[in-house]
Amino acid sequence: MPFAISVENITKSFEESRTIDDVTFNLAPGTSSVIVGPAASGKSLLLKCILGLIPIDSGNISINGLTGINRLKEMNNVGVMFQENALFDSLTVWENIAFRLINQKRISEKTAKSIAREKLSQVHLTNDTFNKYPAELSGGMQKRVSLARALATDPQILLIDEPTAGLDPILTTVICNLIADHKSEFGATILAVTSDMRVAREKYDQILYINNGTIEWAGSPASLQQTGTKPVQEFIL
C-alpha cells in the first residue's frame, strides 16, 4: 500500500533564500501527524506545496501513490482548512460548506444543505449562522466554518492549518475530538500545523519539528525525551 503522503527531498526558495530545504517524510494511511516549529519556519508553506498551490523547485511529492503533478488527481479525496480560512465572501455559510458537494460531487442542494447543517453542528455552530455571510462571523466562527467545509466530503486525507488557533480550551477540545473522530471513522490521514504544543503532544501520532526550512526531528510524542535534541525538547515541552 502506498503512503498517503510522501515528500521526498523537496526544496523551495524565494529570492535566493531557501525556505524549504531538503524536506523528506512519509505518512502512512490512517495516521495523524502535526508540523510544529518557530514562526516563519516553513510550516504553512509546506502544506501549500503538498497541495500544489506553490510549485517546488526540486524533489517530489506523492499523494496515494500518484507523484508530481498527477497527485492533483487525488484532490477530491483531500479536505483542506487554511490558516486564513479562505471562505468565499460572496457565499453564505452553508454554501461555503456545501460548495464541493454541489459543484464536484454533484449532490442535490437539499442533501448538501442537510450535510452542511450536520457539519455546522459538529463544530458547535448554531443554525442561525446557516444563512449568514463570512463577514458577519467572528474569526473563531469563520475558522470553524472552514473546518466544517474541509470535513463535508468525508475526505481520506485532511490537511489543516492551525485548526484551534484563537479558540478557547473548550472549543479546542471539541475540534481536536472531531478531527480524531474523523480519523477513526474514515481511516483518514491527518496532517496539521499547530502552534499549540499541548495539542501537538496529546492529539497526534507523530510530530514533525521544522526549523529554518528543515525537519530537524520527527517522532512520536512519547519518544521526544529519548530522541529529541535539547532545543527541540524545550520548544515542544
Side-chain angles (χ1 to χ4, degrees):
M1 179 180 294
F3 289 112
I5 298 175
S6 180
V7 175
E8 302 172 9
N9 306 112
I10 69 166
T11 63
K12 179 63 185 178
S13 298
F14 294 97
E15 297 180 352
E16 299 183 359
S17 175
R18 183 159 287 186
T19 310
I20 294 180
D21 188 5
D22 197 29
V23 165
T24 294
F25 62 86
N26 296 305
L27 305 184
T31 60
S32 63
S33 300
V34 61
I35 304 168
V36 304
S41 57
K43 302 184 294 294
S44 296
L45 176 62
L46 190 51
L47 288 189
K48 291 176 181 177
C49 288
I50 292 171
L51 289 167
L53 298 176
I54 295 178
I56 59 176
D57 296 332
S58 62
N60 189 55
I61 300 172
S62 302
I63 296 178
N64 289 336
L66 294 182
T67 66
I69 198 70
N70 286 329
R71 74 183 184 280
L72 301 184
K73 297 175 183 178
E74 285 294 299
M75 284 301 108
N76 283 343
N77 296 318
V78 178
V80 183
M81 176 184 175
F82 294 101
Q83 184 177 0
E84 306 85 1
N85 302 322
L87 299 174
F88 299 114
D89 293 335
S90 61
L91 300 182
T92 62
V93 164
W94 84 262
E95 289 171 330
N96 266 281
I97 296 171
F99 185 84
R100 290 180 70 183
L101 294 170
I102 293 172
N103 293 281
Q104 293 182 3
K105 303 292 185 180
R106 304 301 178 185
I107 290 175
S108 70
E109 182 176 309
K110 180 180 179 180
T111 300
K113 279 187 171 182
S114 177
I115 293 171
R117 287 189 191 279
E118 176 190 356
K119 299 304 179 184
L120 268 184
S121 175
Q122 289 178 352
V123 297
H124 283 218
L125 287 174
T126 56
N127 278 336
D128 63 354
T129 62
F130 195 72
N131 289 305
K132 289 185 176 180
Y133 289 90
E136 300 177 270
L137 306 180
S138 69
M141 294 170 76
Q142 290 183 28
K143 182 174 291 293
R144 285 182 278 160
V145 172
S146 180
L147 179 58
R149 180 178 64 180
L151 295 171
T153 59
D154 298 329
Q156 294 178 353
I157 295 173
L158 191 59
L159 302 183
I160 46 180
D161 197 347
E162 296 287 4
T164 60
L167 301 182
D168 62 47
I170 293 175
L171 278 175
T172 293
T173 299
V174 167
I175 296 305
C176 288
N177 289 343
L178 178 58
I179 294 168
D181 289 345
H182 182 79
K183 173 175 173 280
S184 298
E185 182 176 357
F186 298 101
T189 305
I190 313 294
L191 179 60
V193 167
T194 190
S195 300
D196 188 326
M197 293 304 104
R198 183 189 66 82
V199 167
R201 293 191 306 267
E202 296 179 3
K203 303 297 183 181
Y204 292 89
D205 302 325
Q206 176 181 225
I207 298 174
L208 306 169
Y209 176 81
I210 188 170
N211 188 29
N212 294 322
T214 300
I215 292 182
E216 296 184 352
W217 180 81
S220 69
S223 70
L224 175 62
Q225 290 187 317
Q226 288 73 43
T227 63
T229 64
K230 186 175 181 180
V232 174
Q233 291 175 0
E234 289 178 346
F235 186 92
I236 297 175
L237 296 175

